[in-house]
Structure formats: structure tokens, C-alpha cells
Amino acid sequence: MTARMAHLSRLLSAGLAAVLVISGCTGERSDGDDKPPAQDALVLAPGQTRHHVGTSFQYGQFLATVGDSVYDENTKKFYLAVRFQNIGDGWAEPYVPAHLTTASVPSITLNPDEFRRVPPLVVQTVTYVGDSVETDPTPDGRVTFGPPDRDQPVIALDPAQESTLFLSRPQELNGWLQIGKYAVNVRRARVLAGQLSNNQQAEAGQRILRLDFDVYCNRYDPVGGFFPAEHLILAAPGGDQPQETIGASEGFAPRSWTVSTGNWVEFVVPADYAGTYTLLLSSVNTGGFTLHPELIERVALPITLEDGEPEPVAKADPALPRLPTPAPTASSQPSPAEPEPLDVDLKSGAMNVPGFTYTPTRLHYDPAAQTAVVEGDAVYIESDNSTGDGLLDTPPQFGFNANLVSRGRLYNGSITGNSVVARQGSTPITITFLSVTELDPADLGLVIGTGTGPAATLPLGPRSPVIADPPPISGGAVSAPQVTAGDWSIQLLSYRVGHLHQVRRIRPGQRELELKLKVSASASAKAKGLGLIFRPAGQVFLLSSGGYLTQALADGGIGDFEPGQTHVLTVTFAVPDAFTPGLLGVTVRGGDEITDIFTNSFAEVTFPAELAPSTSDPDLADLTGDQS
Amino acid sequence: MMAALALPLAACSDKAPERPAPATTPSPTAQALPVICTPAGPTTIGGAKNINPYAAPGARQVPGPDMTDVPIPAEPVAVLMERPPDPDANVAARQPDGKPAGPVPSGPAPQLEDPACEQPATVGEAP
């Protein structure tokens, strides 16, 4: 019998009147099977009645699922469980006020137990509690979410009655715009209830139009760059005054003949949004000082939005785990039985947090102090050119946001003691979680991230609601010819795939592909103004559609050469989570346009690179070192 | 690991019109290296005539719905790329005269079938 089962048994034998949470969650990814995961029965106290609501809606950057409700006729309390799943770009708190109305009661505030900052793809289950509810509100009750100045979903507690809610409406769109040096391919359009970028629900009477697009650039701009918020505006049907974005991906400086994916913009559209809009693209930057902005010319792409059908919840994002119906918990009530202390080994393996691997090894839980401690070992995996000996070198710091997940709740943690990680070997790291009111080792999960981008998650128990994400770091050898471009001779050596850098530049659903290369300067190379420099992120590209090149995210540092000298360097690209090693086209340029802005020609060589099948060596130490 | 190849580069530009004939497909040998001319002038945008599905790496197609994947070459392919002029250069200088800043469809570098790699006409005038 597990500790959790024993705990239940004790409660039942004592005949205690309490609402218990039973969070039977599984950590499996969706595989197309619509059958919900297995779920335990909710144990009800005398006088309690459970109802199933089962409705989903979008609020801000969360997909909210109203699960079950419980009415307690003895205490006149009403409990409602809502699971908030972060479908947005970054960490956010699902702060959504709610109130209950019935035919006889104008408004009762439903108080949530707590809200936490939740990383992308992770869920938090919140129980709303209403006091002084004289009768079971299910037959005619409605719950309104959010403040009046925002678009408010109104959920009927009786599933047979109609609710007022909004889910993402995907739109058919694959359009092109081209002007000057830029071409934009809009590949995806969605009408949303809120912004995925900053967790803002649309104002009352409005929706959000989000467009995802790629940018092709045929000429590097040494002064400006492509800023989605400046280059794209939207004209409403019949409107003569285009509007600017209310959210957009970051600007960037694309080099010549490159393609940049993963860009997005968000516009406000009316709630009755159907119609033909016009997306306008300019080639020049429109921000800052512009003498005659009215003379900036643009090209137009008509975008027809239709009412359409909402996106099925189960298919909102294939990366999201499937979860059972949320059940409420009376977390505000003191537990009638004292949970037992825990001191157990953890054998869930390693998780790949940005720039490190972390292997939790032991869990201590002190219910009296409401403190949980996770011990583990961290290994630094980031590739850089630092030896750690320089005056300005700082040692790697294991500085992350950490959460322990149990029973649908998230508990904040912090690193206690040493957070400096050795550049070689493993370093013990301890994370302490406070105010842990209840902890079930069977459904335990660990979440660690930078607080801005996607987080690493690791199930610690067999029924954890989190999945192991990202997959373990993998890598292997690269087979490629040695090539020469300008003064440089390049030989690719190896690759790694994972979350390899602490500074995050990738989005949810992406990983980093790092190539390690040996670069030699020719003996006859002549240094220029900045020296004899090879900048991997500006000179190594992946061959992409139409002969355009995918630009790197970053590199492990530039190489400062003497003629005839050789360095081993790294360069990093964003790839989808599903990336599998194989044959790639790699292009190397003899010069970098940023360091040599007056050169209008440069040598380019494109060659095949075969990435050997990956190995999941947790260290991959032989692939990270040798940064000479 | 494949054999090391150090490939010479051949150049094409409008400043040096007399050049060897450029190839437009990848070549497995260093003796027949493809040379892709990348003219500095504007090109027609969006026309399928600019698309060569068998284009060598470096022969950038016009971005658009007809764009295709470029095959990964079996052997290294070296080219000398020349950037097109910035179509938005001098935008600020033109605006006080009341002339619009664009559009000037420079387009990506198309392939030239003309061995002399002669360049199209001028760039920069608003339509």
C-alpha cells in the first residue's frame, strides 16, 4: 500500500468529514486516444454532492478547464476546480477572479486558493471556494470569470445549459508579402480570446488575431533590422486607419539571404471579427525619427477571417499532456490527519535545464515545517570559450525558478547553499520548497526554468501530471568534408541537441542544435580593423527552403585568430523538438556582414553534413570540451 | 569522414563582365565548379519563371508560394556571392522631396543564365 493509500485509509476509518482531493493524473503525452486518463473517485463527506461541469475556454494565455464542483449543504460552501494550462510563450500567473450567480443570488465571490507563476506547457489546478451558498447552485448557477472590462467567459454549471465562452479559432491562411529587402510568409492565423504573449485577456467586445510568419531577407541592413511591431500593421475591413500590433516577437538583424522563422504579431480585432482585413508590410523601419512617415510605402495581403469552428481542446497543442478532470480540494481547511515525513531516494533520471543537467537524488519532506527539500547533482554543459581563469570570467550559477508539483499545486523553491557549479564534473545542488501543505510522492513533479522561457519538467512519481521534457541531451559525430571559404578552413566535428544554454533564445517546442567545428585561418590571412575574426553565428548557416539560409541563434564565442592558427568553436541553431539527426546542408561564409559592413561580396561554400544517430550520453563531455 | 576539399572560388559581378560561363547546377568535381552570379539589380517578384527547382545552393529563389527546397549538394559547392544594393538606401533623403520611399522590389539573387553575368538596369527609383 502506498503512503497515499494509507493516508486515505486512515482518513476514511476515522470517518472524518472533509473534502479530499484525489488527483489521479498521468504524465503521458497525447497519442490521439480520446479516452481520458484513469482517475480516482473523489471521496465525499456526508452532505456533499459532486457535479461534473467539463467545459474549457481560453483566458489570457491559459487554456482553462472547469472540472468538477462540490456543494456542501452542511457548511454551505461551493467548491469549483479549474485547471489552467499555460499555452503561451512564457511564464505567467493564471490570475482569474470569478463569481457565482444564480436565479436567487446576484453575485457571490469565488475565492481561489492560490495562483502561481506557471511555465509554458505546465498546469496549475485552482479550487475556487464560495461561502454562504444557501442551496446547491448547479441547476441554474453560472460562473463568470475575469473583470467586467475584459471579455468574460460565463460558464453554466449545468452542462445541459449553454455557456458563453471562446476557444481559439484557426484560420486558413498561407500568404506572402514582399517589398524591398523583405518577404514575409504568414503561415498561421488564429483568433484568440487573449494574448499568448503577455497573458492579457482581450477587452470586452474584442478578440486577438495572432499571425505566425517567416521573414526572408535578401540584404543585410547595417542600420535597422526587422522589427515585426514596426514593419507590420493591420487595416480592418472598411477601415482607413491601420492599427499597430499590441504584441510582437523581438526584432532581429537578418543577414543577407537568410530566413528567420518563429515570428509572430498580435492585433486587436472586434468580437464579431469575420471579414477581410489587410496586412501591410513596409521594408523600412517605421519607429524612431522618420521625416515623412505618411510616405512610407507598403504592400498588402488580404486576410479573410471566418467564424469557423473552435480548435478542439485535445488538439490545442500536441505537446500538452492529457490530464483527467480537475477535482476540487478544500485546501483552506486544515488537514485532519498529520501527513507522514518522507525521506526517499529519487530515481527519475536527469532533467535538462538550460545549460545544465540536474539529477534529483533524494527528497525530504517535513510536514510539520511544511518544507520539502530536493537534493541532486548539477552538471554544467554549456559550450563557451571561457577557461574560467580570466579576470572577467564568472563561474556557472545554477540560478533558476524551481517548483514542486503535487496534487495540482505548485510550490515555489529556491536554491539553498552553494549555487556555483563546477565547469567539470558534477556539483551537489539543494532546492528547498516552503509552505508545502501536502505532498504525494506518487504524483510529484519537478519544474525548473529561467522564469522567462520554456521550463524543464521531470515526473518524480508514477502519476505525476508533468512529463519528462525536454528529452535527454543527445549528440554524436558529424561526417562532413573539410571546406574552405575565404581565409577559413572549416571541419565540422560533432553535434548536440538539447537546452544547452542558460540564456534562452528558443521558444516552447524548440531545442538547440549545437555544431562543433574546427576552424583554421590560412597562413596568408590578413587581419582587418577588428583583427582576424571568425564569428560562427554570422558565418555558419543551415541550408533552407529556396536556397535561403537559416541563421544561427548564437555561438560559443568568436574566434580571434593569428594567421595559420586553429580554434574549435561552436554555433547553435533552433530546431523543433522533433528534430532527428540526419543529412543537413551547411553553408559557411568567408566573412561576416556585421564585422565587415562595407564588403558587398563574400565567398560561400555549401556542403553536406551527416549527423550520426544520436547517443543519450548524459555527459557528452567529449563533445563539450576542447574549446581551445 | 569525407575527403578534405579546398575549393577555389570564381567570381561574377557587373564590374567584371568578362567571366567564364557560370554553371547553374551542382558539380561533383572541382574542375567544374558551379558559379552563381548574383546580380545587383532588381528582379521580377513572384513570377514562377524565376524559380528553378534544381537550383544549386546559393542560387536563391524568389520568396513565394512557388519556392522549393534546394537539394543538398553531394559535394561542396563554392560561390562568390554579391549582395544586392539596399533598396531602402537614401529613403530619408528622398522623403523631403515628396517622393515615396519605395517600393523597390530588389528581390533575392536570381540565377543568371547569361554567361557574361550582365546586370539589369538601375535600382532605386520609385515607380
Side-chain angles (χ1 to χ4, degrees), chain A residues 176 178-181 183 216 218-222 256-257 283-284 290-293 295-297 478-484 486 491-492 543-549 583-585 589 593 597-608, chain B residues 1-7 9 38 45 57-65 67-88 91-92 95-96 98-109:
Chain A
W176 287 82
Q178 183 160 22
I179 186 170
K181 53 188 170 288
Y216 292 77
N218 63 24
R219 174 62 153 84
Y220 170 66
D221 182 350
S256 297
W257 295 299
S283 183
V284 298
T290 304
L291 283 174
H292 288 268
L295 297 178
I296 292 174
E297 293 205 350
V478 176
S479 177
Q482 182 174 327
V483 297
T484 298
Q491 175 70 65
L492 295 187
L543 184 62
S544 187
S545 180
Y548 275 65
L549 304 176
L583 182 65
L584 293 178
R589 287 180 176 170
E593 293 175 273
I597 62 175
F598 300 110
T599 296
N600 276 325
S601 65
F602 41 81
E604 248 190 33
V605 58
T606 299
F607 57 97
Chain B
M1 199 69 73
M2 298 183 191
L5 290 176
L7 300 176
L9 296 171
T38 56
I45 301 301
R60 274 87 203 203
Q61 301 171 9
V62 175
M67 196 161 56
T68 60
D69 288 335
V70 172
I72 296 172
E75 298 289 339
V77 176
V79 295
L80 183 68
M81 301 303 298
E82 290 211 15
R83 295 190 302 189
D86 186 351
D88 304 311
V91 162
Q95 286 198 26
K99 294 182 179 178
V104 183
S106 65

Side-chain angles (χ1 to χ4, degrees), chain B:
Chain B
M1 199 69 73
M2 298 183 191
L5 290 176
L7 300 176
L9 296 171
C12 264
S13 82
D14 53 350
K15 297 170 185 171
E18 293 184 9
R19 297 288 177 184
T24 55
T25 53
S27 171
T29 66
Q31 286 73 34
L33 283 177
V35 177
I36 309 303
C37 298
T38 56
T43 184
T44 304
I45 301 301
K49 62 185 180 182
N50 289 326
I51 304 299
N52 178 359
Y54 303 103
R60 274 87 203 203
Q61 301 171 9
V62 175
D66 296 329
M67 196 161 56
T68 60
D69 288 335
V70 172
I72 296 172
E75 298 289 339
V77 176
V79 295
L80 183 68
M81 301 303 298
E82 290 211 15
R83 295 190 302 189
D86 186 351
D88 304 311
N90 303 319
V91 162
R94 286 203 302 273
Q95 286 198 26
D97 297 328
K99 294 182 179 178
V104 183
S106 65
Q111 297 176 97
L112 279 192
E113 296 180 358
D114 180 355
C117 300
E118 291 182 353
Q119 303 301 304
T122 57
V123 182
E125 291 300 323

Side-chain angles (χ1 to χ4, degrees), chain A residues 442-464:
Chain A
D443 79 346
L444 206 58
L446 185 60
V447 179
I448 301 179
T450 58
T452 54
T457 54
L458 182 69
L460 301 179
R463 305 174 62 168
S464 173

